[in-house]
Amino acid sequence: MTSAELLLDAFGRVRDVVYDAVMGLKPDQLAFRPAPDTNSILWLVWHLTRIQDDHVAGVAGTGQVWTSGGWAPRFGLPEGTLETGYGHSSEQVAHVQVESVEVLTAYYDAVHERTIRFVQTLTDADLPRVVDDSWDPPVTLAVRLVSVITDDLMHGGQAQYLRGML
């Protein structure tokens, strides 16, 4: 198994977690928050998708699916916003809304497909490339992609937990 195949498998597992968390839910269920200052299933999946979109676009040298697809208004957010959810207040969490689970999964699928296309191009020689030198040690492509996978799986698991509360 190559490194790229391993990463593809991991991103496929993220997709499974996301779909298990959201499929069949109605907008009010997606927006369920067990307490006022907690995140919703919708927000968690939107956030993990935004981070993946932002980070993979950055390392691939492409634009984000979010902006090219005009997704912000479909999530109740102002056109042109580049918010990823990092540091969101409780009020900001509540502003992320969708009319159906299909909007959420369509955005996720577009990001997932773009991620898979990028990862399929990678060789083992690509992975040590430094993609962010503002950290000590500098962040390599391998570390950035593993970080995205880790973040996605954590938030996907949180979304599944909330679904269990429903």
Side-chain angles (χ1 to χ4, degrees):
M1 176 177 272
T2 67
S3 299
E5 289 169 337
L6 184 62
L7 291 167
L8 291 169
D9 180 77
F11 279 111
R13 290 170 190 248
V14 169
R15 186 179 187 281
D16 292 343
V17 168
V18 165
Y19 268 73
D20 286 348
V22 303
M23 288 313 292
L25 296 182
K26 297 176 183 164
D28 62 321
Q29 293 171 309
L30 289 169
F32 167 72
R33 297 168 75 184
D37 290 330
T38 60
N39 299 322
S40 65
I41 295 169
L42 167 61
W43 186 90
L44 288 162
V45 173
W46 168 81
H47 170 65
L48 74 83
T49 308
R50 286 293 299 123
I51 293 298
Q52 183 175 332
D53 192 6
D54 175 76
H55 287 25
V56 172
V59 298
T62 63
Q64 294 182 29
V65 171
W66 180 256
T67 52
S68 64
W71 288 97
R74 292 184 245 178
F75 284 85
L77 299 171
E79 182 72 45
T81 186
L82 293 177
E83 292 180 41
T84 63
Y86 184 77
H88 262 188
S89 67
S90 181
E91 183 178 326
Q92 289 171 304
V93 169
H95 283 288
V96 178
Q97 301 173 11
V98 290
E99 292 181 12
S100 70
V101 70
E102 288 80 16
V103 172
L104 180 59
T105 57
Y107 175 53
Y108 175 81
D109 285 342
V111 171
H112 177 76
E113 289 169 20
R114 194 273 318 269
T115 298
I116 297 305
R117 281 195 310 274
F118 172 68
V119 171
Q120 286 173 332
T121 70
L122 299 178
T123 66
D124 288 352
D126 296 318
L127 297 177
R129 175 173 59 95
V130 172
V131 296
D132 186 349
D133 61 7
S134 66
W135 296 89
D136 185 20
V139 177
T140 63
L141 176 58
V143 168
R144 179 59 46 89
L145 292 174
V146 168
S147 175
V148 169
I149 291 164
T150 302
D151 187 69
D152 284 359
L153 289 172
M154 283 191 326
H155 291 311
Q158 292 166 343
Q160 285 183 327
Y161 180 80
L162 286 176
R163 183 184 179 117
M165 293 180 76
L166 294 174

